[in-house]
Amino acid sequence: MSDEVIIRELVGPDQTMTIFPLYSQVSRLSQAVVCQRLSAMLAQSNYRCIAAYIDERMVGASGFWTGTQLWCGKYIEADNVVVDSAVRGQGIGGKMMAWIEAEAERTECAVVRIAMVLAESVRTSSTREMATSTTAC
């Protein structure tokens, strides 16, 4: 078994949905809701996703957005960074962020940022509890 971490971009809805088992470690959203939301995000054409692998096992994933805002110009923003609980603390999140930072440089983004949720609204919590079906995408 190798400890080498390989970062690859996931392309299209089918590849992007392969993050679901990993994402479900940190979210109670159903597969159907994740599929619906990822499809809507990908349709906006400014959302992309990467995954970290050790020996072809997905051990991390992160989405990221690109866009332009008046205050900063072109930016890239990491979104939903998840590392498998079995390998946390081994620098995998840092390697994914380094990949995103390199992509920001390659695409001439002026700002790299990561969003943080400090609290969920009552409506979001209720929606999360109701979204429990396991319908495949």
Side-chain angles (χ1 to χ4, degrees), residues 8-19:
R8 290 196 298 253
E9 185 166 359
L10 304 175
V11 180
D14 291 341
Q15 282 188 15
T16 305
M17 269 305 292
T18 63
I19 71 168

Side-chain angles (χ1 to χ4, degrees), residues 14-84:
D14 291 341
Q15 282 188 15
T16 305
M17 269 305 292
T18 63
I19 71 168
F20 181 75
L22 184 63
Y23 185 68
S24 65
Q25 288 184 13
V26 297
S27 171
R28 294 179 292 175
L29 293 177
S30 71
Q31 186 172 355
V33 170
V34 170
C35 181
Q36 175 190 27
R37 291 181 183 177
L38 280 174
S39 294
M41 291 158 64
L42 290 167
Q44 294 179 50
S45 300
N46 66 334
Y47 179 80
R48 294 163 55 197
C49 191
I50 59 171
Y53 297 87
I54 296 176
D55 290 334
E56 295 302 314
R57 178 176 155 241
M58 186 184 293
V59 294
S62 179
F64 62 97
W65 297 89
T66 57
T68 303
Q69 291 187 320
L70 185 60
W71 70 272
C72 67
K74 193 168 180 184
Y75 71 89
I76 196 166
E77 179 177 349
D79 182 52
N80 288 311
V81 180
V82 179
V83 175
D84 189 314

